[in-house]
Amino acid sequence: MRKLLNTLFITQPDTYLSLDGDNIVVLKDDSKLGRVPLHNLEAIITFNYTGASPALMGYCAKKNISLVFLTTSGRFLARVIGESKGNVTLRKKQYRISDSDLLSAQIARNFIIGKVYNSKWMIERMTRDYPLRIDVEVFKDMSSHLSDLLLEIRACEDLERLRGLEGQAAYSYNKLFNDMILQQKEDFYFHGRSRRPPLDNVNAMISFAYTLLANDTAAAAESVGLDAYVGFLHRDRPGRASLALDLIEELRGVMADRFVLSLINRKVLNKEDFLKKENGAVIMLDDARKKFLEAWQNKKQEKITHPYLGEKISWGLVPYAQALLLARYLRGDVDEYPPFLWK
């Protein structure tokens, strides 16, 4: 299994990134703020940037280091990638399947199975860990409902119907999300997803976590030879990494949502870490973003046993493992794409 290297996050505003030998140098007003060896990095993610030198972008492209530019609120702007090194046969197979609604549904179905199964597991975990703090009967009823939806999803081969079933499952799961917030409930509440812009503290955190996860997944897909922009559940749209969005479906709950809940319930972040703008948008302040990113990196280092591979890997390698399994399926090495089913 691939070694998990480090991700460098640049959160200092008005900085310029340059190359010096095999090192990245962070500059502000011609002063050096930091210098980091590039051979230890697999990604560089920068917020509120002034720019990056062509030499650094070229180096990152050549060495397969993902260089990602985000706004201060975490919205994706651009990603620097190098020459495509994917297996042309693998990508042609990916394109052929994507062109067929039926074949796409057979893969998309397993993405959705993974997502709904993991949502069900999160609900069951709450009944086990916090029986005195939640309405166990409501949670058990919702878990049973998701089990029924899983049976329908498993038998479905129609892409539009699958999207409808996924929507039902997401709606049901979201109805209980607010009950999973056990601390700071006056300041952290969830009454539904708001994306562009996020309108409350919880949605600001969820959107940020999804952006980080999508970037990791896009890089993972490219690293195993897939085209991150050609998906099966999410259809083609210029500029959208559709396959990355496909792959994160089964990881949203267990990687991103659980992470956000842990930051709230452990009081790592509080109401002072957020700013509400005049248009209603809620953003994390700089210090909050740093705490968030530090915790995210620590989370990615935690070890788990992959439920299908049986190998002990870090959470940060799960997107790579799933991209690898998808590539194996497309090559015909396995009979079916195995979703990430965690409990």
Side-chain angles (χ1 to χ4, degrees):
M1 183 59 67
R2 168 179 162 177
K3 181 182 178 182
L4 180 65
L5 299 178
N6 298 312
T7 298
L8 175 65
F9 295 97
I10 310 295
T11 59
Q12 183 78 17
D14 303 320
T15 54
Y16 184 79
L17 310 181
S18 67
L19 181 69
D20 183 9
D22 291 325
N23 304 284
I24 178 175
V25 178
V26 183
L27 302 170
K28 183 173 183 179
D29 299 328
D30 297 326
S31 299
K32 290 185 180 180
L33 297 182
R35 179 187 179 93
V36 179
L38 284 160
H39 66 268
N40 288 327
L41 299 179
E42 67 175 2
I44 302 165
I45 299 178
T46 178
F47 302 81
N48 194 22
Y49 68 98
T50 299
S53 71
L56 176 63
M57 290 190 283
Y59 184 100
C60 290
K62 183 178 180 181
K63 297 295 185 179
N64 199 30
I65 299 172
S66 177
L67 176 56
V68 181
F69 300 100
L70 305 177
T71 66
T72 54
S73 62
R75 184 172 60 84
F76 177 82
L77 291 175
R79 184 165 65 96
V80 174
I81 57 175
E83 179 183 0
S84 175
K85 296 180 175 62
N87 182 305
V88 64
T89 304
L90 175 64
R91 291 200 177 201
K92 287 175 70 175
K93 181 70 173 293
Q94 179 186 356
Y95 300 150
R96 285 196 297 269
I97 291 178
S98 180
D99 283 338
S100 167
D101 283 354
L102 177 60
L103 296 178
S104 292
Q106 293 171 357
I107 301 176
R109 176 175 59 197
N110 284 15
F111 295 144
I112 297 172
I113 286 173
K115 179 178 183 177
V116 177
Y117 178 93
N118 291 333
S119 297
K120 173 182 166 62
W121 170 82
M122 287 181 63
I123 290 171
E124 287 289 344
R125 183 74 176 262
M126 290 294 296
T127 65
R128 187 191 74 186
D129 293 347
Y130 305 103
L132 301 180
R133 305 188 66 179
I134 62 170
D135 190 329
V136 173
E137 185 177 350
V138 170
F139 272 65
K140 286 290 186 181
D141 286 346
M142 191 60 72
S143 175
S144 177
H145 173 61
L146 292 180
S147 293
D148 293 339
L149 285 176
L150 279 170
L151 293 176
E152 290 190 61
I153 293 166
R154 192 72 187 98
C156 183
E157 293 189 345
D158 180 82
L159 203 53
E160 285 304 314
R161 175 63 177 155
L162 280 171
R163 292 193 183 102
L165 292 169
E166 185 275 333
Q168 291 181 45
Y171 176 77
S172 299
Y173 164 78
N174 284 339
K175 285 205 302 186
L176 292 184
F177 194 90
N178 196 59
D179 294 321
M180 299 185 205
I181 299 172
L182 304 177
Q183 302 287 343
Q184 308 184 87
K185 294 182 75 70
E186 290 186 3
D187 304 309
F188 292 89
Y189 46 82
F190 181 85
H191 302 312
R193 280 291 281 139
S194 55
R195 297 173 175 82
R196 299 182 185 90
L199 300 177
D200 56 63
N201 298 345
V202 176
N203 271 290
M205 296 172 73
I206 290 175
S207 293
F208 193 39
Y210 287 174
T211 297
L212 297 174
L213 182 57
N215 173 67
D216 288 348
T217 307
E222 296 283 349
S223 72
V224 301
L226 295 166
D227 188 331
Y229 288 82
V230 178
F232 306 107
L233 176 63
H234 295 83
R235 309 311 282 170
D236 296 346
R237 182 183 298 174
R240 181 172 75 175
S242 295
L243 183 61
L245 296 178
D246 283 357
L247 285 165
I248 71 169
E249 287 296 344
E250 58 204 271
L251 304 178
R252 288 182 189 271
V254 290
M255 282 193 71
D257 294 354
R258 284 181 66 230
F259 173 75
V260 167
L261 287 168
S262 73
L263 294 186
I264 299 170
N265 291 334
R266 291 190 291 110
K267 300 183 179 180
V268 176
L269 298 184
N270 58 56
K271 65 178 181 180
E272 306 299 330
D273 289 315
F274 298 85
L275 172 67
K276 190 158 191 172
K277 302 173 74 174
E278 292 182 359
N279 65 351
V282 174
I283 61 172
M284 278 190 287
L285 299 175
D286 288 344
D287 287 343
R289 192 182 302 113
K290 291 175 183 177
K291 289 188 287 186
F292 190 104
L293 293 171
E294 181 180 359
W296 179 256
Q297 284 298 92
N298 291 336
K299 174 66 178 178
K300 288 171 62 175
Q301 297 291 340
E302 292 178 7
K303 297 291 186 180
I304 62 166
T305 299
H306 192 280
Y308 179 81
L309 297 173
E311 295 183 28
K312 209 167 189 62
I313 65 172
S314 62
W315 269 111
L317 284 178
V318 171
Y320 173 77
Q322 294 309 117
L324 185 64
L325 289 170
L326 179 59
R328 288 180 181 176
Y329 168 72
L330 295 178
R331 285 195 296 262
D333 297 336
V334 293
D335 294 333
E336 191 173 10
Y337 167 71
F340 183 79
L341 305 177
W342 183 248
K343 64 178 181 178

